[in-house]
Amino acid sequence: MSLAPFIRHFAQRALLRIAKHRSNSSMSKSFALAVFKGVVISTLSVNAYASEEEPPMEVKVVVVSMFEIGDDEGDAPGEFQLWKARQKLTTKYPLPHGFHDVYANTETGVIGIVTGMGIARASAAIMALGLDPRFDLSKAYWLVAGIAGVDPADNTIGSAIWTDYVVDGDLAHHIDAREIPSTWRTGYFPLFTHAPYEKAEQVDANNSPNGEVYALNLPLAKWAYSLTKDTKLLNNEAMNLLREKYTHSPNARALPNVSMGAHLSASTFWHGEKLNSWANDWVAYWTQGKGNFVTSGMEDSATLQSLTYLDNAGLVDKERLMILRTASNFTMQPPSLSAAQNLKLESSGEGYAAMGAAIEAAYNVGSRVTNYIVQNWDSTKDRIPVTE
């Protein structure tokens, strides 16, 4: 796929800067000439590769994955591999200004991106794609499809959870628990407050200027859930054995299912009963009790922040975002283990018994939404689907 439109765009901007500053004595003639030569050489090289500028691809669905284990195909799959193979994303768009190249099915209008793990990479990758002139994203639906931890009080491993709220778990004040007042139950509390969970009445999930909470398009999320709620999900004996340890939670011992819930997005991979209680309190605070913490991951608040800025610029429609998180592990230990023991078991040997099932669930559930949008583009292009 040609890089001509992309490089021409930045070539034109570079030339404009040279023209603007050519009379400025602080910019030497030699430096201006070097920049000019670089732009010309780059543009000529690309023109030799693609003689005609191509119109931007009209994108119908952007599938957002966060990581791939190894190669994009032919080995153990991460979040992206199944999408690339089964959606026939065979056309490569180089993305040197992002974590991973973009792959597309130019016939269906579906593209896939791997952001890389963590807040910083996700924010940069989504912004890079959103500003890329090779793609028309103005009508595109965005589907974040990735694995997550799950609260055993609410659901079980292998399940697929459509997100209604995303709460950021990083933006906060933090005082070590050994130094907090005796009346506090945590030293982790919201910015611009002086104690845990102050000013709760001032929280507005639909207007969070610092990005602490995002309310997704709930009618769209409910539509996605309604469309996919009967999807058959994978299960195996190792998952059953792990579930049996959670003797205190009927939901943890259930079979995989499709549901809805709130997602906590934080760069730190936290684990354990104490932090699980914090996650429930944190989500309840930032959603004024409307959201229930169910899944935990890293990147989604960053994705939403970038999409918010891109929406402000008229490049995307943030109301077309859906987030599907599938449970690869529990966010806390069973009664028979300590948090440290459980985390060690999960992150070594044959840990994450539900990893494969969760990756399959992300595709099997998410692809039903993707396929519907593509196959009904005459209506979904201009009208966001809702449950009848």
Side-chain angles (χ1 to χ4, degrees):
M1 178 55 60
S2 172
L3 277 171
F6 183 74
I7 292 185
R8 286 196 188 104
H9 171 76
F10 286 100
Q12 291 168 357
R13 294 188 64 179
L15 289 171
L16 285 173
R17 286 182 62 83
I18 291 173
K20 180 179 178 180
H21 296 288
R22 63 184 300 177
S23 62
N24 189 331
S25 59
S26 64
M27 172 177 269
S28 68
K29 292 182 179 179
S30 60
F31 175 76
L33 182 61
V35 173
F36 180 78
K37 285 182 178 179
V39 169
V40 171
I41 291 172
S42 298
T43 305
L44 289 176
S45 298
V46 171
N47 284 337
Y49 180 72
S51 59
E52 295 184 4
E53 184 172 323
E54 300 175 10
M57 175 186 174
E58 182 187 47
V59 178
K60 298 173 185 175
V61 180
V62 181
V63 178
V64 180
S65 305
M66 279 55 70
F67 77 94
E68 187 52 58
I69 295 173
D71 295 331
D72 289 342
E73 51 190 315
D75 57 5
E79 293 175 344
F80 178 63
Q81 189 173 139
L82 301 185
W83 289 95
K84 185 176 187 295
R86 298 175 186 177
Q87 291 288 321
K88 298 179 172 58
L89 308 181
T90 56
T91 301
K92 178 180 177 179
Y93 287 84
L95 196 72
H97 52 302
F99 175 77
H100 186 282
D101 293 329
V102 174
Y103 284 86
N105 184 325
T106 55
E107 294 183 3
T108 64
V110 177
I111 68 173
I113 183 172
V114 182
T115 65
M117 293 176 62
I119 296 289
R121 284 178 170 174
S123 179
I126 296 300
M127 187 61 69
L129 175 60
L131 294 174
D132 196 316
R134 295 171 294 177
F135 304 104
D136 176 2
L137 300 164
S138 58
K139 297 290 185 178
Y141 290 82
W142 296 72
L143 174 62
V144 175
I147 64 173
V150 66
D151 185 349
D154 296 301
N155 214 316
T156 190
I157 49 176
S159 292
I161 297 93
W162 290 102
T163 301
D164 51 10
Y165 292 93
V166 170
V167 177
D168 186 281
D170 292 327
L171 295 168
H173 292 299
H174 190 194
I175 299 174
D176 190 286
R178 292 165 293 186
E179 296 183 275
I180 63 175
S182 60
T183 55
W184 290 13
R185 66 179 185 271
T186 178
Y188 202 83
F189 53 101
L191 290 175
F192 311 113
T193 67
H194 302 107
Y197 308 117
E198 281 187 342
K199 303 179 181 178
E201 72 283 353
Q202 298 179 19
V203 172
D204 183 355
N206 294 299
N207 182 23
S208 175
N210 297 302
E212 293 97 342
V213 57
Y214 298 89
L216 273 67
N217 183 340
L218 188 56
L220 177 61
K222 287 182 176 179
W223 168 80
Y225 165 73
S226 178
L227 182 69
T228 61
K229 62 184 179 181
D230 297 323
T231 305
K232 183 174 177 58
L233 303 178
L234 296 182
N235 189 44
N236 59 51
E237 185 58 28
M239 293 163 64
N240 288 335
L241 292 173
L242 177 56
R243 288 192 192 97
E244 289 178 1
K245 297 179 180 180
Y246 287 80
T247 54
H248 64 306
S249 176
N251 287 330
R253 293 163 67 87
L255 292 174
N257 60 85
V258 180
S259 66
M260 296 187 67
H263 182 74
L264 181 64
S265 175
S267 294
T268 299
F269 191 116
W270 58 267
H271 186 74
E273 181 181 2
K274 301 300 184 186
L275 287 174
N276 196 73
S277 295
W278 159 77
N280 277 278
D281 292 342
W282 196 254
V283 169
Y285 173 86
W286 284 111
T287 64
Q288 290 193 322
K290 296 176 183 176
N292 173 45
F293 165 69
V294 179
T295 58
S296 173
M298 294 182 177
E299 300 83 9
D300 294 351
S301 60
T303 295
L304 273 154
Q305 183 64 80
S306 291
L307 288 178
T308 298
Y309 290 147
L310 292 166
D311 180 88
N312 291 343
L315 296 173
V316 308
D317 181 356
K318 67 179 181 180
E319 295 302 312
R320 296 182 176 225
L321 170 67
M322 294 165 283
I323 297 176
L324 176 67
R325 285 289 186 163
T326 56
S328 60
N329 60 285
F330 290 112
T331 53
M332 59 172 280
Q333 73 275 23
S336 59
L337 296 170
S338 70
Q341 288 171 331
N342 197 54
L343 184 59
K344 182 178 180 180
L345 288 172
E346 285 189 341
S347 59
S348 61
E350 297 182 0
Y352 297 106
M355 172 75 80
I359 288 171
E360 284 281 355
Y363 180 80
N364 292 336
V365 176
S367 63
R368 294 186 68 179
V369 167
T370 299
N371 293 343
Y372 182 95
I373 291 170
V374 170
Q375 293 166 7
N376 295 276
W377 190 241
D378 287 345
S379 61
T380 57
K381 178 178 181 179
D382 296 310
R383 186 173 68 252
I384 296 176
V386 295
T387 305
E388 297 297 336

